[in-house]
Amino acid sequence: MKRKKGPSKEHRKDPIIQMGLLMDPNGIPMAFHTFSGNESEKTTMLPAIQRVKKDYEIGRIIVVADRGLNTSDNTSVLSGTNASDEKNNDGYVYGRSIRGANAEFKKWALEPDGYVTAMEKNKDGEAIPFKHKSRLYAKEITKKIRMGRAGSR
Protein backbone atom coordinates (compact mmCIF):
# COMPACT_ATOMS: atom_id res chain seq x y z
CA MET A 1 0.00 0.00 0.00
CA LYS A 2 1.49 3.33 -1.09
CA ARG A 3 -0.77 5.53 1.02
CA LYS A 4 1.46 6.35 3.99
CA LYS A 5 2.13 9.21 6.35
CA GLY A 6 4.83 11.47 5.00
CA PRO A 7 5.89 15.07 4.48
CA SER A 8 3.03 17.34 3.45
CA LYS A 9 3.45 20.93 2.27
CA GLU A 10 0.07 21.63 3.81
CA HIS A 11 1.19 20.00 7.11
CA ARG A 12 -1.62 17.45 6.93
CA LYS A 13 -1.57 14.40 9.17
CA ASP A 14 -3.44 12.18 6.67
CA PRO A 15 -1.55 9.50 4.69
CA ILE A 16 -0.60 10.60 1.18
CA ILE A 17 0.59 9.21 -2.15
CA GLN A 18 3.14 11.13 -4.22
CA MET A 19 3.13 11.32 -8.01
CA GLY A 20 5.72 12.29 -10.62
CA LEU A 21 4.49 13.27 -14.09
CA LEU A 22 6.44 13.13 -17.36
CA MET A 23 5.24 15.41 -20.17
CA ASP A 24 6.47 15.86 -23.71
CA PRO A 25 7.60 19.28 -25.02
CA ASN A 26 3.97 20.11 -25.86
CA GLY A 27 2.78 19.49 -22.31
CA ILE A 28 1.11 16.19 -23.19
CA PRO A 29 1.39 13.64 -20.35
CA MET A 30 3.46 10.60 -21.34
CA ALA A 31 3.84 8.69 -18.09
CA PHE A 32 3.47 8.97 -14.37
CA HIS A 33 4.82 7.13 -11.37
CA THR A 34 3.38 6.97 -7.89
CA PHE A 35 5.46 6.74 -4.75
CA SER A 36 4.70 5.93 -1.13
CA GLY A 37 3.88 8.98 0.93
CA ASN A 38 6.77 8.29 3.27
CA GLU A 39 9.43 8.25 0.51
CA SER A 40 11.56 11.32 -0.08
CA GLU A 41 11.01 12.85 -3.52
CA LYS A 42 14.65 13.93 -3.40
CA THR A 43 15.82 10.31 -3.66
CA THR A 44 13.10 8.90 -5.93
CA MET A 45 13.47 11.41 -8.78
CA LEU A 46 16.72 10.18 -10.39
CA PRO A 47 15.78 6.46 -10.52
CA ALA A 48 12.37 7.40 -11.97
CA ILE A 49 14.02 9.56 -14.64
CA GLN A 50 16.43 6.80 -15.64
CA ARG A 51 13.55 4.30 -15.86
CA VAL A 52 11.48 6.63 -18.07
CA LYS A 53 14.48 7.43 -20.29
CA LYS A 54 15.05 3.72 -20.83
CA ASP A 55 11.37 2.80 -21.30
CA TYR A 56 10.71 5.58 -23.81
CA GLU A 57 14.20 5.74 -25.36
CA ILE A 58 14.53 9.41 -24.43
CA GLY A 59 17.96 10.96 -24.85
CA ARG A 60 17.53 14.11 -22.79
CA ILE A 61 15.14 15.24 -20.08
CA ILE A 62 14.70 18.72 -18.65
CA VAL A 63 13.36 18.58 -15.08
CA VAL A 64 11.09 21.42 -13.99
CA ALA A 65 10.57 21.29 -10.25
CA ASP A 66 10.20 23.24 -7.06
CA ARG A 67 13.09 23.78 -4.70
CA GLY A 68 12.37 20.52 -2.88
CA LEU A 69 14.24 18.61 -5.60
CA ASN A 70 17.11 21.10 -5.78
CA THR A 71 19.68 18.91 -4.03
CA SER A 72 23.37 18.74 -4.85
CA ASP A 73 23.09 15.11 -5.92
CA ASN A 74 20.14 15.76 -8.25
CA THR A 75 21.72 18.88 -9.73
CA SER A 76 25.05 17.11 -10.24
CA VAL A 77 23.52 14.18 -12.11
CA LEU A 78 21.18 16.31 -14.22
CA SER A 79 23.82 18.82 -15.27
CA GLY A 80 26.80 16.52 -15.61
CA THR A 81 27.64 13.56 -17.78
CA ASN A 82 25.33 10.81 -16.63
CA ALA A 83 27.13 7.55 -15.89
CA SER A 84 24.06 5.49 -16.82
CA ASP A 85 23.93 6.64 -20.43
CA GLU A 86 26.19 8.09 -23.08
CA LYS A 87 23.70 10.58 -24.46
CA ASN A 88 23.44 14.32 -23.90
CA ASN A 89 23.35 15.73 -20.42
CA ASP A 90 19.95 16.31 -18.91
CA GLY A 91 18.93 19.70 -17.58
CA TYR A 92 16.87 21.34 -14.89
CA VAL A 93 14.83 24.41 -14.06
CA TYR A 94 14.16 24.87 -10.36
CA GLY A 95 11.94 27.49 -8.79
CA ARG A 96 13.36 29.49 -5.93
CA SER A 97 11.77 31.54 -3.16
CA ILE A 98 12.70 35.21 -2.98
CA ARG A 99 11.58 35.44 0.64
CA GLY A 100 14.26 33.08 1.96
CA ALA A 101 17.01 34.10 -0.48
CA ASN A 102 20.20 36.01 0.24
CA ALA A 103 20.41 39.78 -0.29
CA GLU A 104 22.16 39.51 -3.68
CA PHE A 105 19.42 37.30 -5.15
CA LYS A 106 16.64 39.46 -3.70
CA LYS A 107 18.21 42.55 -5.26
CA TRP A 108 18.51 40.85 -8.67
CA ALA A 109 14.96 39.44 -8.60
CA LEU A 110 13.33 42.67 -7.46
CA GLU A 111 15.30 44.98 -9.79
CA PRO A 112 13.00 45.85 -12.75
CA ASP A 113 15.88 45.84 -15.28
CA GLY A 114 16.18 42.63 -17.25
CA TYR A 115 12.53 41.59 -17.19
CA VAL A 116 11.03 40.69 -20.55
CA THR A 117 7.33 41.06 -21.30
CA ALA A 118 5.85 38.24 -23.36
CA MET A 119 2.34 37.37 -24.50
CA GLU A 120 0.51 34.08 -24.25
CA LYS A 121 -3.00 33.40 -25.42
CA ASN A 122 -5.57 31.87 -23.12
CA LYS A 123 -8.11 29.25 -24.26
CA ASP A 124 -10.37 32.03 -25.59
CA GLY A 125 -7.57 33.49 -27.73
CA GLU A 126 -7.10 36.57 -25.55
CA ALA A 127 -3.54 37.81 -25.18
CA ILE A 128 -2.27 37.58 -21.62
CA PRO A 129 0.95 39.51 -20.89
CA PHE A 130 3.46 38.20 -18.39
CA LYS A 131 6.97 39.17 -17.36
CA HIS A 132 9.90 36.88 -16.76
CA LYS A 133 13.56 37.13 -15.92
CA SER A 134 16.22 34.46 -15.85
CA ARG A 135 19.93 34.05 -15.38
CA LEU A 136 22.60 31.43 -15.48
CA TYR A 137 24.22 31.23 -12.10
CA ALA A 138 27.08 29.02 -11.02
CA LYS A 139 26.17 26.97 -7.99
CA GLU A 140 28.74 25.19 -5.88
CA ILE A 141 27.55 21.68 -5.09
CA THR A 142 28.82 18.95 -2.84
CA LYS A 143 27.82 15.50 -3.99
CA LYS A 144 27.37 12.85 -1.32
CA ILE A 145 29.20 9.60 -1.85
CA ARG A 146 26.82 6.66 -1.67
CA MET A 147 28.21 3.24 -1.08
CA GLY A 148 26.38 0.28 -2.58
CA ARG A 149 26.61 -3.37 -1.62
CA ALA A 150 29.85 -3.88 -3.50
CA GLY A 151 31.32 -0.67 -2.10
CA SER A 152 30.83 1.42 -5.23
CA ARG A 153 28.47 3.69 -7.00
Side-chain angles (χ1 to χ4, degrees):
M1 181 168 155
K2 291 187 176 188
R3 189 170 182 245
K4 296 184 179 178
K5 289 187 179 184
S8 168
K9 293 176 185 173
E10 296 84 20
H11 306 290
R12 295 182 183 171
K13 304 280 187 222
D14 300 328
I16 59 174
I17 295 174
Q18 299 183 70
M19 183 182 82
L21 176 66
L22 172 72
M23 297 186 298
D24 73 6
N26 297 312
I28 306 296
M30 292 177 58
F32 70 93
H33 294 281
T34 57
F35 303 94
S36 294
N38 64 349
E39 289 185 73
S40 170
E41 62 184 1
K42 295 174 183 179
T43 59
T44 57
M45 182 182 76
L46 293 176
I49 287 172
Q50 294 306 321
R51 185 172 57 245
V52 165
K53 286 177 71 171
K54 181 181 176 192
D55 290 350
Y56 292 92
E57 299 179 353
I58 296 171
R60 184 168 194 238
I61 286 182
I62 306 296
V63 173
V64 179
D66 63 11
R67 67 185 178 102
L69 295 173
N70 188 1
T71 67
S72 292
D73 284 356
N74 289 344
T75 302
S76 173
V77 171
L78 292 171
S79 64
T81 302
N82 300 321
S84 61
D85 65 72
E86 296 179 12
K87 297 178 175 66
N88 295 327
N89 298 346
D90 295 318
Y92 62 91
V93 176
Y94 290 137
R96 183 171 175 188
S97 169
I98 295 173
R99 184 179 303 144
N102 63 29
E104 185 275 331
F105 182 79
K106 286 180 182 178
K107 180 180 176 189
W108 174 83
L110 298 174
E111 172 64 41
D113 292 344
Y115 277 93
V116 176
T117 301
M119 294 288 207
E120 283 289 327
K121 291 187 178 182
N122 66 13
K123 63 181 180 180
D124 298 324
E126 300 169 312
I128 306 293
F130 69 95
K131 291 183 178 185
H132 65 94
K133 187 176 190 181
S134 65
R135 69 178 180 170
L136 294 176
Y137 185 77
K139 175 185 176 187
E140 185 174 323
I141 60 172
T142 304
K143 190 170 180 186
K144 295 176 184 171
I145 298 173
R146 295 186 185 147
M147 301 303 278
R149 287 190 189 136
S152 65
R153 174 175 181 226

